Amino acid sequence: MKYDNTINLISRIRELSGNVIVSELEKAGVAGIVPSHGDIIVTLIKHRELTMTEIAERIKRDRSTVTTLVKKLNKLGFTDTKKNELDQRSSLVFLTPKGRELENGFKEISEKLYSIQYEGVTEEEREVFRRVLIKMHDNFNKRVL
C-alpha cells in the first residue's frame, strides 16, 4: 500500500490559512465573518450583484450552502438581497455600503496570504506546484462528478 500525507498537508494548509484570515479580520475589527464568507464577498466585489445560483456556480458550492452563508452576511449587514427584475423567481445578492468597506481589507489579507504561501518558493517551483495541484484537482473532479 502506498501512502503519503499530501491530502493531510493540503487540509492543514487550508486550516492554517483560515486561521490567518480570521486573525487578520479580527485585527481589522471585522467580527462574524469566516473564510467561507470570504468567497462570497470577493465574488460580489468582482461582480457587484448575482443570484444565489450564480454565486454557487462561481465559488463551487451548493446553492443551499450559499443561501445559508448569505443569510448570515445579511444578518451581519454586509450583504442584502432584492428581487431580480429579469426573473421574479430569484433574488439578487449585493454588498451593502458596510460590505463594500471590506474590499481594501480583503485585498490586504489576500496579499498577506500570498506572501506567506510563497515565502522561500521560487517562481519555477510555484509553476510546477500549481500544475500538479490542477492535475490532482482534475483527477478528483472526474471521479466525483
CSV table of all heavy atoms in Angstrom, one decimal, residues 95-145:
chain,number,residue,atom,x,y,z
A,95,LEU,N,-23.5,43.7,-2.2
A,95,LEU,CA,-22.9,44.2,-1.0
A,95,LEU,C,-23.5,45.5,-0.6
A,95,LEU,O,-23.8,46.4,-1.4
A,95,LEU,CB,-21.4,44.5,-1.2
A,95,LEU,CG,-20.5,43.2,-1.5
A,95,LEU,CD1,-19.1,43.7,-1.9
A,95,LEU,CD2,-20.4,42.4,-0.2
A,96,THR,N,-23.7,45.7,0.7
A,96,THR,CA,-24.2,46.9,1.3
A,96,THR,C,-23.0,47.9,1.4
A,96,THR,O,-21.8,47.4,1.2
A,96,THR,CB,-24.7,46.7,2.7
A,96,THR,OG1,-23.7,46.2,3.5
A,96,THR,CG2,-25.9,45.8,2.7
A,97,PRO,N,-23.2,49.1,1.7
A,97,PRO,CA,-22.0,50.0,1.9
A,97,PRO,C,-21.0,49.4,3.0
A,97,PRO,O,-19.8,49.5,2.8
A,97,PRO,CB,-22.7,51.3,2.4
A,97,PRO,CG,-24.0,51.3,1.7
A,97,PRO,CD,-24.4,49.9,1.7
A,98,LYS,N,-21.6,48.8,4.0
A,98,LYS,CA,-20.7,48.2,5.0
A,98,LYS,C,-19.9,47.1,4.4
A,98,LYS,O,-18.7,46.9,4.7
A,98,LYS,CB,-21.6,47.6,6.2
A,98,LYS,CG,-20.8,46.9,7.3
A,98,LYS,CD,-21.8,46.5,8.4
A,98,LYS,CE,-21.0,45.7,9.4
A,98,LYS,NZ,-21.9,45.2,10.5
A,99,GLY,N,-20.5,46.3,3.5
A,99,GLY,CA,-19.8,45.2,2.8
A,99,GLY,C,-18.8,45.7,1.9
A,99,GLY,O,-17.7,45.1,1.8
A,100,ARG,N,-19.1,46.8,1.2
A,100,ARG,CA,-18.1,47.4,0.3
A,100,ARG,C,-16.8,47.9,1.0
A,100,ARG,O,-15.8,48.0,0.4
A,100,ARG,CB,-18.7,48.4,-0.6
A,100,ARG,CG,-19.6,47.9,-1.7
A,100,ARG,CD,-20.0,48.9,-2.8
A,100,ARG,NE,-20.7,50.0,-2.3
A,100,ARG,CZ,-22.1,50.0,-2.1
A,100,ARG,NH1,-22.8,48.9,-2.4
A,100,ARG,NH2,-22.7,51.1,-1.6
A,101,GLU,N,-17.0,48.3,2.2
A,101,GLU,CA,-15.9,48.8,3.1
A,101,GLU,C,-14.9,47.7,3.3
A,101,GLU,O,-13.7,48.0,3.6
A,101,GLU,CB,-16.4,49.3,4.4
A,101,GLU,CG,-17.1,50.6,4.3
A,101,GLU,CD,-17.7,51.0,5.7
A,101,GLU,OE1,-17.4,50.4,6.7
A,101,GLU,OE2,-18.5,52.0,5.7
A,102,LEU,N,-15.2,46.4,3.1
A,102,LEU,CA,-14.3,45.3,3.3
A,102,LEU,C,-13.3,45.1,2.2
A,102,LEU,O,-12.3,44.4,2.4
A,102,LEU,CB,-15.1,44.0,3.5
A,102,LEU,CG,-16.1,43.9,4.6
A,102,LEU,CD1,-16.9,42.6,4.5
A,102,LEU,CD2,-15.3,43.9,5.9
A,103,GLU,N,-13.5,45.7,1.0
A,103,GLU,CA,-12.7,45.5,-0.1
A,103,GLU,C,-11.2,45.7,0.1
A,103,GLU,O,-10.4,44.8,-0.2
A,103,GLU,CB,-13.2,46.4,-1.3
A,103,GLU,CG,-12.4,46.0,-2.6
A,103,GLU,CD,-13.1,46.7,-3.8
A,103,GLU,OE1,-14.1,47.4,-3.7
A,103,GLU,OE2,-12.5,46.5,-4.9
A,104,ASN,N,-10.8,46.8,0.6
A,104,ASN,CA,-9.4,47.1,0.9
A,104,ASN,C,-8.8,46.1,1.9
A,104,ASN,O,-7.7,45.6,1.7
A,104,ASN,CB,-9.2,48.5,1.3
A,104,ASN,CG,-9.4,49.5,0.2
A,104,ASN,OD1,-9.2,49.2,-1.0
A,104,ASN,ND2,-9.7,50.7,0.5
A,105,GLY,N,-9.5,45.8,2.9
A,105,GLY,CA,-9.0,44.8,3.9
A,105,GLY,C,-8.9,43.5,3.3
A,105,GLY,O,-7.9,42.8,3.6
A,106,PHE,N,-9.8,43.1,2.5
A,106,PHE,CA,-9.7,41.8,1.8
A,106,PHE,C,-8.5,41.7,0.9
A,106,PHE,O,-7.8,40.7,0.8
A,106,PHE,CB,-11.0,41.4,1.1
A,106,PHE,CG,-12.0,40.7,1.9
A,106,PHE,CD1,-12.4,41.2,3.1
A,106,PHE,CD2,-12.5,39.5,1.5
A,106,PHE,CE1,-13.4,40.6,3.9
A,106,PHE,CE2,-13.4,38.8,2.3
A,106,PHE,CZ,-13.9,39.3,3.5
A,107,LYS,N,-8.2,42.8,0.2
A,107,LYS,CA,-7.0,42.8,-0.7
A,107,LYS,C,-5.8,42.7,0.1
A,107,LYS,O,-4.9,41.9,-0.2
A,107,LYS,CB,-7.0,44.1,-1.5
A,107,LYS,CG,-8.0,44.2,-2.6
A,107,LYS,CD,-7.9,45.5,-3.4
A,107,LYS,CE,-8.9,45.5,-4.5
A,107,LYS,NZ,-9.0,46.8,-5.2
A,108,GLU,N,-5.7,43.4,1.3
A,108,GLU,CA,-4.5,43.3,2.1
A,108,GLU,C,-4.3,41.9,2.7
A,108,GLU,O,-3.2,41.4,2.7
A,108,GLU,CB,-4.6,44.3,3.3
A,108,GLU,CG,-4.5,45.7,2.9
A,108,GLU,CD,-4.7,46.7,4.0
A,108,GLU,OE1,-4.7,46.3,5.2
A,108,GLU,OE2,-5.0,47.9,3.7
A,109,ILE,N,-5.4,41.3,3.1
A,109,ILE,CA,-5.4,39.9,3.7
A,109,ILE,C,-4.9,38.9,2.6
A,109,ILE,O,-4.1,38.0,2.8
A,109,ILE,CB,-6.7,39.5,4.3
A,109,ILE,CG1,-7.0,40.3,5.5
A,109,ILE,CG2,-6.7,38.0,4.6
A,109,ILE,CD1,-8.4,40.1,6.1
A,110,SER,N,-5.4,39.1,1.4
A,110,SER,CA,-5.0,38.3,0.2
A,110,SER,C,-3.6,38.4,-0.1
A,110,SER,O,-2.9,37.4,-0.3
A,110,SER,CB,-5.8,38.8,-1.0
A,110,SER,OG,-6.5,37.7,-1.6
A,111,GLU,N,-3.0,39.6,0.0
A,111,GLU,CA,-1.6,39.8,-0.3
A,111,GLU,C,-0.8,39.2,0.8
A,111,GLU,O,0.3,38.6,0.5
A,111,GLU,CB,-1.3,41.3,-0.4
A,111,GLU,CG,-1.9,41.9,-1.7
A,111,GLU,CD,-1.8,43.5,-1.7
A,111,GLU,OE1,-1.2,44.1,-0.8
A,111,GLU,OE2,-2.4,44.0,-2.6
A,112,LYS,N,-1.3,39.3,2.1
A,112,LYS,CA,-0.5,38.6,3.2
A,112,LYS,C,-0.5,37.1,3.0
A,112,LYS,O,0.5,36.5,3.2
A,112,LYS,CB,-1.2,39.0,4.5
A,112,LYS,CG,-0.4,38.5,5.7
A,112,LYS,CD,-0.9,39.1,7.0
A,112,LYS,CE,0.1,38.6,8.1
A,112,LYS,NZ,0.1,39.5,9.2
A,113,LEU,N,-1.7,36.5,2.7
A,113,LEU,CA,-1.7,35.1,2.4
A,113,LEU,C,-0.8,34.7,1.3
A,113,LEU,O,-0.1,33.7,1.4
A,113,LEU,CB,-3.1,34.7,2.1
A,113,LEU,CG,-4.1,34.6,3.2
A,113,LEU,CD1,-5.5,34.3,2.6
A,113,LEU,CD2,-3.8,33.5,4.2
A,114,TYR,N,-0.8,35.4,0.2
A,114,TYR,CA,0.1,35.1,-0.9
A,114,TYR,C,1.6,35.2,-0.5
A,114,TYR,O,2.4,34.3,-0.8
A,114,TYR,CB,-0.2,36.1,-2.0
A,114,TYR,CG,0.6,35.8,-3.3
A,114,TYR,CD1,0.0,34.9,-4.2
A,114,TYR,CD2,1.8,36.4,-3.6
A,114,TYR,CE1,0.6,34.6,-5.4
A,114,TYR,CE2,2.4,36.1,-4.8
A,114,TYR,CZ,1.9,35.2,-5.7
A,114,TYR,OH,2.5,34.8,-6.9
A,115,SER,N,2.0,36.2,0.3
A,115,SER,CA,3.4,36.3,0.7
A,115,SER,C,3.7,35.1,1.7
A,115,SER,O,4.9,34.6,1.6
A,115,SER,CB,3.7,37.6,1.3
A,115,SER,OG,3.1,37.8,2.6
A,116,ILE,N,2.8,34.7,2.6
A,116,ILE,CA,3.1,33.6,3.5
A,116,ILE,C,3.2,32.3,2.7
A,116,ILE,O,4.2,31.5,2.8
A,116,ILE,CB,2.0,33.5,4.5
A,116,ILE,CG1,2.1,34.7,5.5
A,116,ILE,CG2,2.1,32.2,5.3
A,116,ILE,CD1,0.9,34.8,6.4
A,117,GLN,N,2.3,32.1,1.8
A,117,GLN,CA,2.2,30.9,1.0
A,117,GLN,C,3.5,30.7,0.2
A,117,GLN,O,3.9,29.5,0.1
A,117,GLN,CB,1.0,31.0,0.0
A,117,GLN,CG,0.8,30.0,-1.0
A,117,GLN,CD,-0.4,30.2,-1.8
A,117,GLN,OE1,-1.4,30.9,-1.4
A,117,GLN,NE2,-0.4,29.7,-3.0
A,118,TYR,N,4.0,31.7,-0.4
A,118,TYR,CA,5.1,31.5,-1.3
A,118,TYR,C,6.5,32.0,-0.8
A,118,TYR,O,7.4,32.1,-1.5
A,118,TYR,CB,4.8,32.2,-2.7
A,118,TYR,CG,3.8,31.5,-3.5
A,118,TYR,CD1,2.6,32.0,-3.8
A,118,TYR,CD2,4.0,30.1,-3.9
A,118,TYR,CE1,1.6,31.3,-4.5
A,118,TYR,CE2,3.1,29.4,-4.6
A,118,TYR,CZ,1.9,30.0,-4.9
A,118,TYR,OH,1.0,29.3,-5.6
A,119,GLU,N,6.5,32.2,0.5
A,119,GLU,CA,7.8,32.6,1.1
A,119,GLU,C,8.8,31.5,0.9
A,119,GLU,O,8.6,30.3,1.2
A,119,GLU,CB,7.6,32.8,2.6
A,119,GLU,CG,8.9,33.3,3.3
A,119,GLU,CD,8.6,33.6,4.8
A,119,GLU,OE1,7.4,33.9,5.2
A,119,GLU,OE2,9.6,33.6,5.6
A,120,GLY,N,10.0,31.9,0.3
A,120,GLY,CA,11.0,30.9,0.0
A,120,GLY,C,10.8,30.0,-1.1
A,120,GLY,O,11.5,29.0,-1.3
A,121,VAL,N,9.7,30.2,-1.9
A,121,VAL,CA,9.4,29.3,-3.0
A,121,VAL,C,9.7,30.1,-4.3
A,121,VAL,O,9.3,31.2,-4.5
A,121,VAL,CB,7.9,28.9,-3.0
A,121,VAL,CG1,7.5,28.1,-4.2
A,121,VAL,CG2,7.5,28.3,-1.7
A,122,THR,N,10.5,29.5,-5.2
A,122,THR,CA,10.9,30.1,-6.4
A,122,THR,C,9.7,30.2,-7.4
A,122,THR,O,8.7,29.4,-7.3
A,122,THR,CB,12.0,29.4,-7.1
A,122,THR,OG1,11.6,28.1,-7.6
A,122,THR,CG2,13.3,29.2,-6.2
A,123,GLU,N,9.8,31.0,-8.4
A,123,GLU,CA,8.8,31.1,-9.4
A,123,GLU,C,8.6,29.8,-10.2
A,123,GLU,O,7.5,29.4,-10.4
A,123,GLU,CB,9.2,32.3,-10.4
A,123,GLU,CG,8.1,32.6,-11.4
A,123,GLU,CD,6.8,33.2,-10.7
A,123,GLU,OE1,6.9,33.9,-9.7
A,123,GLU,OE2,5.7,32.8,-11.1
A,124,GLU,N,9.7,29.1,-10.4
A,124,GLU,CA,9.6,27.8,-11.1
A,124,GLU,C,8.9,26.8,-10.2
A,124,GLU,O,8.1,26.0,-10.7
A,124,GLU,CB,11.1,27.3,-11.4
A,124,GLU,CG,11.1,26.0,-12.2
A,124,GLU,CD,12.5,25.5,-12.5
A,124,GLU,OE1,13.4,26.4,-12.6
A,124,GLU,OE2,12.7,24.3,-12.6
A,125,GLU,N,9.2,26.8,-8.9
A,125,GLU,CA,8.5,25.9,-8.0
A,125,GLU,C,7.0,26.2,-8.0
A,125,GLU,O,6.2,25.3,-7.9
A,125,GLU,CB,9.1,26.0,-6.6
A,125,GLU,CG,10.5,25.4,-6.5
A,125,GLU,CD,11.2,25.7,-5.2
A,125,GLU,OE1,11.0,26.8,-4.6
A,125,GLU,OE2,12.0,24.8,-4.8
A,126,ARG,N,6.7,27.4,-8.0
A,126,ARG,CA,5.3,27.8,-8.0
A,126,ARG,C,4.5,27.3,-9.2
A,126,ARG,O,3.4,26.8,-9.1
A,126,ARG,CB,5.1,29.4,-8.0
A,126,ARG,CG,5.6,30.0,-6.7
A,126,ARG,CD,5.5,31.5,-6.9
A,126,ARG,NE,6.3,32.2,-5.8
A,126,ARG,CZ,6.3,33.4,-5.5
A,126,ARG,NH1,5.5,34.3,-6.1
A,126,ARG,NH2,7.0,33.9,-4.5
A,127,GLU,N,5.1,27.4,-10.3
A,127,GLU,CA,4.5,27.0,-11.6
A,127,GLU,C,4.3,25.4,-11.6
A,127,GLU,O,3.2,25.0,-11.9
A,127,GLU,CB,5.3,27.4,-12.8
A,127,GLU,CG,5.2,28.9,-13.1
A,127,GLU,CD,3.8,29.3,-13.4
A,127,GLU,OE1,3.1,28.6,-14.1
A,127,GLU,OE2,3.4,30.3,-12.8
A,128,VAL,N,5.3,24.7,-11.1
A,128,VAL,CA,5.2,23.3,-11.1
A,128,VAL,C,4.2,22.9,-10.1
A,128,VAL,O,3.3,22.0,-10.3
A,128,VAL,CB,6.6,22.6,-10.7
A,128,VAL,CG1,6.5,21.1,-10.4
A,128,VAL,CG2,7.6,22.8,-11.9
A,129,PHE,N,4.2,23.5,-8.9
A,129,PHE,CA,3.2,23.2,-7.9
A,129,PHE,C,1.8,23.4,-8.3
A,129,PHE,O,0.9,22.6,-8.1
A,129,PHE,CB,3.6,24.1,-6.7
A,129,PHE,CG,2.6,24.0,-5.5
A,129,PHE,CD1,2.5,22.9,-4.8
A,129,PHE,CD2,1.8,25.1,-5.2
A,129,PHE,CE1,1.6,22.8,-3.7
A,129,PHE,CE2,0.9,25.0,-4.2
A,129,PHE,CZ,0.8,23.9,-3.4
A,130,ARG,N,1.6,24.5,-9.0
A,130,ARG,CA,0.2,24.8,-9.5
A,130,ARG,C,-0.2,23.8,-10.5
A,130,ARG,O,-1.4,23.4,-10.5
A,130,ARG,CB,0.1,26.3,-10.0
A,130,ARG,CG,0.1,27.3,-8.9
A,130,ARG,CD,-0.5,28.6,-9.3
A,130,ARG,NE,-1.6,28.7,-10.2
A,130,ARG,CZ,-2.9,28.4,-9.8
A,130,ARG,NH1,-3.1,28.2,-8.6
A,130,ARG,NH2,-3.9,28.5,-10.7
A,131,ARG,N,0.7,23.5,-11.4
A,131,ARG,CA,0.3,22.5,-12.5
A,131,ARG,C,-0.1,21.1,-11.8
A,131,ARG,O,-1.0,20.5,-12.2
A,131,ARG,CB,1.4,22.3,-13.5
A,131,ARG,CG,1.5,23.4,-14.5
A,131,ARG,CD,2.4,23.1,-15.7
A,131,ARG,NE,3.7,22.5,-15.4
A,131,ARG,CZ,4.8,23.3,-15.3
A,131,ARG,NH1,4.8,24.6,-15.4
A,131,ARG,NH2,6.0,22.7,-15.0
A,132,VAL,N,0.7,20.7,-10.8
A,132,VAL,CA,0.4,19.4,-10.2
A,132,VAL,C,-0.9,19.5,-9.4
A,132,VAL,O,-1.7,18.6,-9.5
A,132,VAL,CB,1.6,19.0,-9.3
A,132,VAL,CG1,1.2,17.8,-8.4
A,132,VAL,CG2,2.9,18.7,-10.1
A,133,LEU,N,-1.1,20.6,-8.7
A,133,LEU,CA,-2.4,20.8,-8.0
A,133,LEU,C,-3.6,20.7,-8.9
A,133,LEU,O,-4.6,20.1,-8.6
A,133,LEU,CB,-2.4,22.1,-7.2
A,133,LEU,CG,-1.8,22.1,-5.8
A,133,LEU,CD1,-1.9,23.4,-5.1
A,133,LEU,CD2,-2.4,21.0,-4.9
A,134,ILE,N,-3.4,21.4,-10.0
A,134,ILE,CA,-4.5,21.4,-11.0
A,134,ILE,C,-4.8,20.0,-11.5
A,134,ILE,O,-5.9,19.5,-11.6
A,134,ILE,CB,-4.2,22.4,-12.2
A,134,ILE,CG1,-4.3,23.8,-11.7
A,134,ILE,CG2,-5.2,22.1,-13.4
A,134,ILE,CD1,-3.8,24.9,-12.6
A,135,LYS,N,-3.7,19.2,-11.8
A,135,LYS,CA,-3.9,17.8,-12.2
A,135,LYS,C,-4.6,17.0,-11.1
A,135,LYS,O,-5.5,16.2,-11.4
A,135,LYS,CB,-2.6,17.2,-12.5
A,135,LYS,CG,-2.0,17.6,-13.9
A,135,LYS,CD,-0.7,16.9,-14.2
A,135,LYS,CE,-0.1,17.4,-15.5
A,135,LYS,NZ,1.2,16.7,-15.8
A,136,MET,N,-4.2,17.2,-9.9
A,136,MET,CA,-4.8,16.4,-8.8
A,136,MET,C,-6.3,16.8,-8.7
A,136,MET,O,-7.2,15.9,-8.5
A,136,MET,CB,-4.1,16.7,-7.5
A,136,MET,CG,-2.7,16.1,-7.3
A,136,MET,SD,-2.0,16.6,-5.8
A,136,MET,CE,-0.5,15.6,-5.8
A,137,HIS,N,-6.6,18.1,-8.7
A,137,HIS,CA,-7.9,18.6,-8.7
A,137,HIS,C,-8.8,17.9,-9.8
A,137,HIS,O,-9.9,17.4,-9.6
A,137,HIS,CB,-8.0,20.1,-8.8
A,137,HIS,CG,-9.3,20.7,-8.9
A,137,HIS,ND1,-10.0,20.9,-10.1
A,137,HIS,CD2,-10.2,21.0,-7.9
A,137,HIS,CE1,-11.2,21.3,-9.8
A,137,HIS,NE2,-11.4,21.5,-8.5
A,138,ASP,N,-8.3,18.0,-11.0
A,138,ASP,CA,-9.0,17.4,-12.1
A,138,ASP,C,-9.2,15.9,-12.0
A,138,ASP,O,-10.3,15.4,-12.3
A,138,ASP,CB,-8.2,17.7,-13.4
A,138,ASP,CG,-8.2,19.1,-13.8
A,138,ASP,OD1,-9.0,19.9,-13.2
A,138,ASP,OD2,-7.5,19.5,-14.7
A,139,ASN,N,-8.2,15.2,-11.4
A,139,ASN,CA,-8.3,13.7,-11.1
A,139,ASN,C,-9.5,13.5,-10.2
A,139,ASN,O,-10.3,12.6,-10.5
A,139,ASN,CB,-7.1,13.2,-10.5
A,139,ASN,CG,-5.9,13.1,-11.5
A,139,ASN,OD1,-6.1,13.2,-12.7
A,139,ASN,ND2,-4.7,13.0,-11.0
A,140,PHE,N,-9.6,14.2,-9.1
A,140,PHE,CA,-10.7,14.0,-8.2
A,140,PHE,C,-12.0,14.5,-8.8
A,140,PHE,O,-13.1,13.9,-8.6
A,140,PHE,CB,-10.5,14.8,-6.9
A,140,PHE,CG,-9.5,14.0,-6.0
A,140,PHE,CD1,-8.2,14.4,-5.8
A,140,PHE,CD2,-10.0,12.9,-5.2
A,140,PHE,CE1,-7.4,13.7,-5.0
A,140,PHE,CE2,-9.1,12.2,-4.4
A,140,PHE,CZ,-7.8,12.6,-4.3
A,141,ASN,N,-12.0,15.6,-9.5
A,141,ASN,CA,-13.2,16.2,-10.1
A,141,ASN,C,-13.8,15.2,-11.1
A,141,ASN,O,-15.1,15.0,-11.1
A,141,ASN,CB,-12.9,17.5,-10.8
A,141,ASN,CG,-14.0,18.4,-10.9
A,141,ASN,OD1,-14.9,18.4,-10.0
A,141,ASN,ND2,-14.1,19.2,-11.9
A,142,LYS,N,-13.0,14.4,-11.8
A,142,LYS,CA,-13.5,13.4,-12.8
A,142,LYS,C,-14.3,12.3,-12.1
A,142,LYS,O,-15.2,11.8,-12.6
A,142,LYS,CB,-12.4,12.8,-13.6
A,142,LYS,CG,-11.9,13.7,-14.7
A,142,LYS,CD,-10.9,13.0,-15.6
A,142,LYS,CE,-9.5,13.2,-15.0
A,142,LYS,NZ,-8.4,12.7,-15.8
A,143,ARG,N,-13.8,12.0,-10.9
A,143,ARG,CA,-14.4,10.8,-10.1
A,143,ARG,C,-15.6,11.2,-9.4
A,143,ARG,O,-16.5,10.4,-9.2
A,143,ARG,CB,-13.4,10.3,-9.1
A,143,ARG,CG,-12.1,9.8,-9.6
A,143,ARG,CD,-12.2,8.4,-10.2
A,143,ARG,NE,-11.0,7.7,-10.5
A,143,ARG,CZ,-10.0,8.0,-11.2
A,143,ARG,NH1,-9.9,9.2,-11.7
A,143,ARG,NH2,-9.0,7.2,-11.5
A,144,VAL,N,-15.7,12.5,-9.0
A,144,VAL,CA,-16.8,12.9,-8.2
A,144,VAL,C,-18.0,13.3,-9.0
A,144,VAL,O,-19.1,13.1,-8.7
A,144,VAL,CB,-16.4,14.1,-7.2
A,144,VAL,CG1,-17.6,14.7,-6.5
A,144,VAL,CG2,-15.3,13.6,-6.3
A,145,LEU,N,-17.8,14.0,-10.1
A,145,LEU,CA,-18.8,14.5,-11.0
A,145,LEU,C,-19.2,13.4,-11.9
A,145,LEU,O,-20.0,12.9,-12.3
A,145,LEU,CB,-18.4,15.7,-11.7
A,145,LEU,CG,-18.0,16.9,-10.9
A,145,LEU,CD1,-17.5,18.0,-11.8
A,145,LEU,CD2,-19.2,17.4,-10.1
